[in-house]
Amino acid sequence: MDLTLSYIARLPVHLYMWSIVELFFSEVITSGVHNVPNDRPIIFCSTHPCMTHDGALLWKTVPTARPLSCWASKTYLSNSVIGRLLTLMGAVPVYRVPRTASERKLLDENRDMFRNTVDKLKSGVALVIFPEGCSYTEPNIVRTLPGAAWTLIEYQRLYPEDIQPAIVPVTLSYSAKSKARSRVHFFIAAYSVILVLTHAIQSYVKYCPPITLDSLPGGFEHGTRNAKELARSITAVLHESLVDNSIHAPDWESSNAAFMAYRLLSPQSSTYDWTQEVQQLVSTLSSPVYREQRAALSNYFSLLENCLFVDGDIFSAGVPLPVLSSSLIHPILFLTFFLWPAYFVGWLGSYVMTPAGKIEGIGPYKSLYAQGGFLMTACFASIAATSRISIITWYHFPFTFAAIFLALYLYHRLVVDTLDLHYRRGRTGICLLVANLIPSTPLDLKELAIYQAPPTYLRNKWLPEQPEHPQIVRTVDIMTRVRITRWHLDEALAAARESLASLPIKL
């Protein structure tokens, strides 16, 4: 398939990816695009914290005019819906092998994959690889697999006289990847790219300096020990680049404390390069010297997570309760009633489809099912219009549907940020009001400690085995949320602010 036909065949995919980014994220900021090389084949190696949202962001913002392809597990390609979508994207199947398999077996199982990958690179397609091998939620980058390195080596073996490909490391960092209406900052510096999303979610994508065989010392002999050593060397450089350009915390307490500190300080700080600021906070707070400050910030973060309906940004800003409650009668909530079904379908789909603790799936399922909700709303409105308006016949149904869907989309883009602000304010206000009206007592210190502990997330089965950590069992019922909201949030916020005042750091 030539490049023109490839673009046409992938048009539905690009529309799908574009709609995900536009519906879920509030802003995408791109800079440094000129640093991505255009004179050689490109392999984008990205971190993978948020399932299909990572691919959508790359497809929407990647700084190249070339068609994109990707690696995808054979399991996903076997799915009748997802597999069809990935096939349209030109995905190359990857055959996962057991963890105990040798590197030789890995090469044997994926010989066709490497050959197909090299052919695509040779034909002018840019490749997207997630070298961690799966999407997961951890405070740091757990591993980097050698697939991209072996692709470079295979390309060198087959086409030694050609310009060799470059690996462009990409990091994506989210502050709250399960929530909607975030901003994205996409920055590329010296062949590097940084993508940033803020508001409830913040995401930062960075395209880092490229890695080529020419930039590594030593000889090359395919099929010998030198090839394996070269693959390990390339993978080590890739891993180091991903770690250096992402938010990398030693544990969840340090990560949560740094994000909480940034959110409290962000009104006075720049959001252009916020991942560096968060990483600076991680480096400071992970020190044993600031153990008390780390604990206070992490405790406040965890209590907010357990309150569910109290928005952290709204509560921390100290907006008066009457202002919060008045948002419930703001006209925008009533002028957008026809958008509510899509939001409800998105929430319901993510709730049903995402296993407990697997937060990397919440955002993608929300956006996927919300799109289905928009399509249903447009379909019902089109049926109603066709049935009730005499000049519109069933022959006009496709055009009516397209026009109504486009109108819904444009109206959504116009009002969604205002709607989101007043919805979050109103939700927080009513929660605070109810919490103060219902008779309750404070939690004792033992009970409170359970809800102050960092949350535990479901570990991806494809990650390396780790020592068992004690699972904290929380029963966060409505009454518990009421008690936390009424008696402990203000105290935790005061302790967090006091701890910030004692940190030797300015953003």
Side-chain angles (χ1 to χ4, degrees):
M1 182 183 294
D2 61 33
L3 293 184
T4 302
L5 290 177
S6 178
Y7 279 120
I8 295 174
R10 298 175 192 196
L11 181 60
V13 178
H14 285 287
L15 290 174
Y16 170 74
M17 296 294 188
W18 175 75
S19 62
I20 284 180
V21 174
E22 292 296 321
L23 288 174
F24 200 82
F25 303 120
S26 64
E27 186 179 7
V28 179
I29 306 170
T30 307
S31 58
V33 173
H34 60 281
N35 289 319
V36 173
N38 291 316
D39 60 344
R40 61 179 65 233
I42 304 175
I43 304 171
F44 295 103
C45 289
S46 173
T47 54
H48 200 13
C50 200
M51 293 177 62
T52 55
H53 274 178
D54 302 335
L57 288 170
L58 290 172
W59 252 258
K60 173 75 164 54
T61 55
V62 71
T64 179
R66 309 177 200 186
L68 296 179
S69 182
C70 64
W71 281 2
S73 169
K74 182 64 176 177
T75 304
Y76 288 113
L77 288 171
S78 301
N79 184 285
S80 57
V81 178
I82 299 177
R84 180 61 179 168
L85 180 65
L86 290 171
T87 300
L88 284 173
M89 293 164 62
V92 177
V94 177
Y95 303 89
R96 279 178 171 149
V97 297
R99 296 186 184 123
T100 56
S102 65
E103 193 174 68
R104 183 68 254 172
K105 181 177 180 181
L106 178 62
L107 288 176
D108 291 340
E109 291 286 338
N110 290 288
R111 185 180 294 110
D112 290 340
M113 176 197 73
F114 284 112
R115 180 70 197 193
N116 293 338
T117 300
V118 170
D119 289 342
K120 285 184 177 292
L121 289 172
K122 179 69 174 175
S123 67
V125 173
L127 184 67
V128 174
I129 295 177
F130 298 105
E132 293 164 287
C134 58
S135 186
Y136 59 88
T137 301
E138 296 289 339
N140 47 49
I141 296 175
V142 174
R143 67 174 182 186
T144 303
L145 299 176
W150 282 111
T151 301
L152 283 189
I153 294 172
E154 185 71 3
Y155 196 103
Q156 166 74 8
R157 183 183 72 86
L158 294 173
Y159 304 105
E161 303 300 325
D162 289 5
I163 298 177
Q164 296 303 301
I167 293 176
V168 180
V170 185
T171 58
L172 298 94
S173 303
Y174 300 82
S175 65
K177 59 188 176 184
S178 62
K179 298 181 182 179
R181 300 314 300 159
S182 60
R183 287 186 301 154
V184 181
H185 169 208
F186 189 62
F187 171 68
I188 309 171
Y191 288 9
S192 57
V193 182
I194 305 171
L195 186 96
V196 179
L197 311 188
T198 44
H199 163 19
I201 303 177
Q202 297 183 321
S203 160
Y204 191 89
V205 183
K206 182 174 184 178
Y207 290 75
C208 310
I211 303 167
T212 64
L213 288 176
D214 299 338
S215 64
L216 298 172
F220 165 71
E221 298 176 23
H222 188 81
T224 69
R225 185 167 175 246
N226 284 344
K228 293 183 179 180
E229 290 177 354
L230 185 58
R232 293 190 189 100
S233 177
I234 295 171
T235 304
V237 173
L238 173 60
H239 180 79
E240 182 181 1
S241 180
L242 294 176
V243 169
D244 289 344
N245 292 282
S246 63
I247 299 173
H248 198 78
D251 51 51
W252 278 118
E253 186 180 51
S254 300
S255 176
N256 294 342
F259 274 114
M260 195 71 257
Y262 178 78
R263 290 175 187 174
L264 294 173
L265 293 170
S266 59
Q268 290 80 38
S269 65
S270 168
T271 59
Y272 182 79
D273 193 2
W274 65 271
T275 56
Q276 290 189 14
E277 296 178 346
V278 173
Q279 186 58 48
Q280 184 183 5
L281 288 165
V282 167
S283 300
T284 300
L285 289 166
S286 59
S287 170
V289 177
Y290 301 106
R291 179 179 56 83
E292 293 182 2
Q293 290 86 342
R294 180 174 69 245
L297 289 162
S298 180
N299 290 347
Y300 179 47
F301 180 97
S302 299
L303 289 177
L304 280 173
E305 290 288 304
N306 287 316
C307 284
L308 186 63
F309 291 116
V310 177
D311 187 278
D313 295 337
I314 299 296
F315 182 80
S316 302
V319 182
L321 184 57
V323 176
L324 294 178
S325 302
S326 66
S327 288
L328 286 174
I329 57 174
H330 193 278
I332 196 67
L333 297 178
F334 303 97
L335 293 174
T336 56
F337 70 93
F338 44 84
L339 298 176
W340 297 352
Y343 296 149
F344 175 75
V345 171
W347 170 82
L348 183 63
S350 67
Y351 179 81
V352 172
M353 297 299 296
T354 309
K358 192 176 176 64
I359 67 167
E360 63 267 20
I362 295 176
Y365 280 121
K366 274 184 183 178
S367 57
L368 176 63
Y369 282 92
Q371 287 185 74
F374 274 105
L375 290 173
M376 286 193 305
T377 302
C379 184
F380 287 133
S382 301
I383 292 173
T386 304
S387 303
R388 294 176 177 272
I389 302 176
S390 58
I391 61 173
I392 301 178
T393 67
W394 289 104
Y395 294 105
H396 300 128
F397 182 82
F399 304 101
T400 306
F401 174 80
I404 291 177
F405 181 79
L406 180 60
L408 279 175
Y409 170 77
L410 293 176
Y411 186 70
H412 172 268
R413 290 291 297 140
L414 180 66
V415 304
V416 65
D417 290 320
T418 304
L419 172 64
D420 178 68
L421 173 63
H422 288 286
Y423 168 72
R424 292 188 299 118
R425 278 187 171 187
R427 183 182 66 179
T428 300
I430 197 65
C431 182
L432 293 174
L433 184 62
V434 170
N436 283 283
L437 290 176
I438 296 179
S440 62
T441 57
L443 297 172
D444 60 41
L445 293 179
K446 186 176 181 180
E447 287 178 308
L448 186 62
I450 296 175
Y451 302 103
Q452 289 177 332
T456 54
Y457 303 114
L458 186 65
R459 189 173 179 83
N460 194 299
K461 66 178 182 179
W462 291 104
L463 291 178
E465 296 292 343
Q466 293 288 324
E468 288 294 329
H469 296 287
Q471 295 294 312
I472 299 172
V473 180
R474 299 184 178 97
T475 305
V476 194
D477 53 26
I478 294 297
M479 199 59 204
T480 301
R481 292 193 178 104
V482 166
R483 296 168 72 186
I484 291 174
T485 303
R486 179 175 181 179
W487 297 104
H488 302 290
L489 272 190
D490 284 318
E491 182 181 345
L493 174 58
R497 291 193 183 281
E498 183 180 352
S499 68
L500 281 179
S502 63
L503 288 179
I505 189 170
K506 290 185 179 180
L507 297 184

